[in-house]
Amino acid sequence: MILVTGGAGYIGAHAALALLEAGEDVVILDNLCNSSREAIPRIEQLGGRRVEWVAGDIRNRALLDQLFVRYPIDAVMHFAGLKAVGESVRQPLRYYDTNVGGSINLCQAMAYAGVFTLVFSSSATVYGDCSCMPINESTQCGQPTNPYGQSKLMTEQMLASLGSADERWRIGVLRYFNPVGAHPSGLLGESPRAAPNNLVPYLLKVASGQLPALPVFGGDYPTPDGTGVRDYIHVVDLAEGHVNTLQYLRQHAGLRAWNLGTGLGYSVLELVAAFERVSGVSLPLDRRERRPGDVAQCWADPTRAFEELGWVAQRDLDTMMRDAWRWQQANPMGYEETARPVPSTASLAAQAQGAG
Ligand code: NAD
Ligand code: UDP
């Protein structure tokens, strides 16, 4: 059974579904601080199977210990964390506490339980501001410029030390580029609780009339049309990369990092054009100054993931935009909360004692 922390969230929910489809059993741990419990029945509906799930925090060691007793977990996919760059600048301690402290707590609980296989959600932000594209896993350009990125780098460093200190660990570090899109069913997608900051969630709110215009940050970058270039990757491709990583880790000990990206860079205006093409909706644009902290361009060299994991992104930009738009139209306000009983920490403790 696979423990999926943050499995009610955007990427975690798609990964939980991909695991079900690959025949794995799943238990989700999520405190719902940026997600909805409504994701769980939808994962079950699409996967055709039940998912165990517990509402709780990765920083709660007692709860983690109970989970490892209660369920026959043999590997962990660790998505839980905070991810808003601007918020991390204003609230750094919250970010270090959850992203670094939470990951340390999880690893301690794993080692205590004798579970040593871990897939960690890292980010291309660990590469800092690079000028040489594409970025491969050995590229060293600098440091992340905000606490969110620092928290990912620090966690990677902590995991590397762990891998060196104890050969029982099998750790896959996955550096995501720009995940976008949604499940083609329209049942799973990104449903942030706060106002959107990222390009595609913002664009969807504009397309559906909930926001007046899409800000386009910067028109003077050294890119073909002057707007920022990124490697957008369909969230279903990303989720499938996690299943390949798990299969790899079952065969190989140690720690290894992989880029998960398409290897293609698209500008903001190219992405807007793709969205308009597939949706038939015209987007009002609001040209602005550069957003502080943004790099001009960033795209992956995904060769290592192809050669070692046998993984390659399949879905193109039009598919990403089409699936994102379907999700938005089917769920204009994201997931609707429905009344559904949540297993409490107390009942889990009782179950764990019963099992122990
Ligand atoms: P998300 O916010 O949708 O999902 C994260 C989930 O973790 C949420 O369901 C949230 O409720 C849960 N969570 C947060 N803190 C928790 C805690 N202390 N205990 C238990 N659950 C907690 O974000 P996402 O886009 O699905 O990102 C998943 C992971 O991937 C994160 O670690 C993120 O940093 C990383 N990542 C995301 C992107 C991106 O652009 N979406 C890019 C690179 C890396
Ligand atoms: N961007 C934009 N308008 C927005 C949000 C983002 O023009 O409302 C641009 C941003 O400057 C960058 C690209 O879109 O060039 C991707 O930004 P996003 O925040 O989605 O991801 P990032 O690469 O910053 O993690």
Side-chain angles (χ1 to χ4, degrees):
M1 180 175 253
I2 313 300
L3 170 61
V4 181
T5 74
Y10 174 45
I11 304 168
H14 287 87
L17 173 59
L19 285 168
L20 290 183
E21 289 170 344
E24 305 283 351
D25 292 324
V26 170
V27 54
I28 286 174
L29 173 67
D30 199 303
N31 70 0
L32 301 181
C33 71
N34 194 38
S35 53
S36 164
R37 71 191 60 180
E38 177 58 16
I40 310 288
R42 296 187 184 197
I43 298 167
E44 291 178 328
Q45 182 185 340
L46 290 167
R49 265 185 314 130
R50 187 144 179 265
V51 167
E52 300 291 329
W53 94 278
V54 174
D57 200 296
I58 52 166
R59 293 165 297 174
N60 181 342
R61 174 65 194 273
L63 173 62
L64 289 176
D65 287 344
Q66 289 159 14
L67 272 176
F68 283 108
V69 170
R70 174 77 182 87
Y71 297 104
I73 296 164
D74 56 86
V76 178
M77 287 197 184
H78 177 32
F79 299 91
L82 304 176
K83 63 166 185 176
V85 171
E87 187 181 66
S88 80
V89 175
R90 294 188 298 276
Q91 303 178 11
L93 292 181
R94 237 185 106 212
Y95 273 69
Y96 290 118
D97 182 38
T98 297
N99 293 2
V100 183
S103 299
I104 293 172
N105 201 43
L106 176 65
C107 290
Q108 286 172 329
M110 287 177 68
Y112 184 71
V115 176
F116 292 97
T117 302
L118 174 68
V119 181
F120 172 61
S121 297
S122 190
S123 167
T125 189
V126 300
Y127 292 114
D129 189 356
C130 302
S131 52
C132 292
M133 294 294 140
I135 299 174
N136 69 39
E137 290 81 355
S138 308
T139 302
Q140 290 187 331
C141 330
Q143 294 280 315
T145 51
N146 56 71
Y148 167 70
Q150 294 282 5
S151 75
K152 289 290 172 191
L153 185 59
M154 287 166 73
T155 305
E156 281 203 14
Q157 289 165 340
M158 180 274 288
L159 293 175
S161 303
L162 202 52
S164 305
D166 185 336
E167 61 187 17
R168 288 174 297 177
W169 282 96
R170 293 160 182 257
I171 300 173
V173 170
L174 298 181
R175 297 179 181 148
Y176 310 156
F177 281 67
N178 285 60
V180 297
H183 192 270
S185 62
L187 285 172
L188 299 179
E190 188 163 13
S191 182
R193 287 201 181 275
N197 290 309
N198 295 113
L199 180 60
V200 174
Y202 204 109
L203 175 157
L204 294 174
K205 297 283 177 208
V206 175
S208 57
Q210 297 176 48
L211 289 168
L214 176 67
V216 175
F217 298 126
D220 57 351
Y221 287 110
T223 59
D225 65 21
T227 63
V229 168
R230 297 289 184 277
D231 185 339
Y232 298 97
I233 173 168
H234 197 296
V235 66
V236 175
D237 278 324
L238 193 67
E240 290 170 358
H242 288 70
V243 176
N244 290 40
T245 305
L246 182 64
Q247 286 158 354
Y248 176 96
L249 294 177
R250 285 181 171 151
Q251 311 290 329
H252 302 83
L255 176 138
R256 191 82 168 144
W258 293 275
N259 286 341
L260 294 186
T262 64
L264 300 170
Y266 290 103
S267 73
V268 175
L269 297 182
E270 285 174 318
L271 183 141
V272 166
F275 180 81
E276 292 184 331
R277 189 165 57 239
V278 302
S279 69
V281 175
S282 179
L283 292 167
L285 303 183
D286 174 12
R287 303 300 294 252
R288 303 251 191 104
E289 296 294 305
R290 292 181 181 193
R291 186 173 64 175
D294 275 356
V295 300
Q297 51 185 9
C298 178
W299 71 88
D301 175 352
T303 307
R304 183 187 284 185
F306 175 65
E307 289 180 350
E308 297 179 356
L309 304 177
W311 172 89
V312 66
Q314 310 274 353
R315 294 158 182 88
D316 65 12
L317 189 64
D318 281 13
T319 307
M320 298 178 213
M321 295 300 104
R322 196 176 294 114
D323 290 340
W325 183 226
R326 188 182 299 107
W327 156 256
Q328 174 63 37
Q329 288 182 293
N331 309 268
M333 307 308 290
Y335 294 113
E336 277 176 40
E337 290 287 336
T338 54
R340 195 175 158 82
V342 181
S344 68
T345 306
S347 73
L348 188 77
Q351 287 172 1
Q353 277 166 10

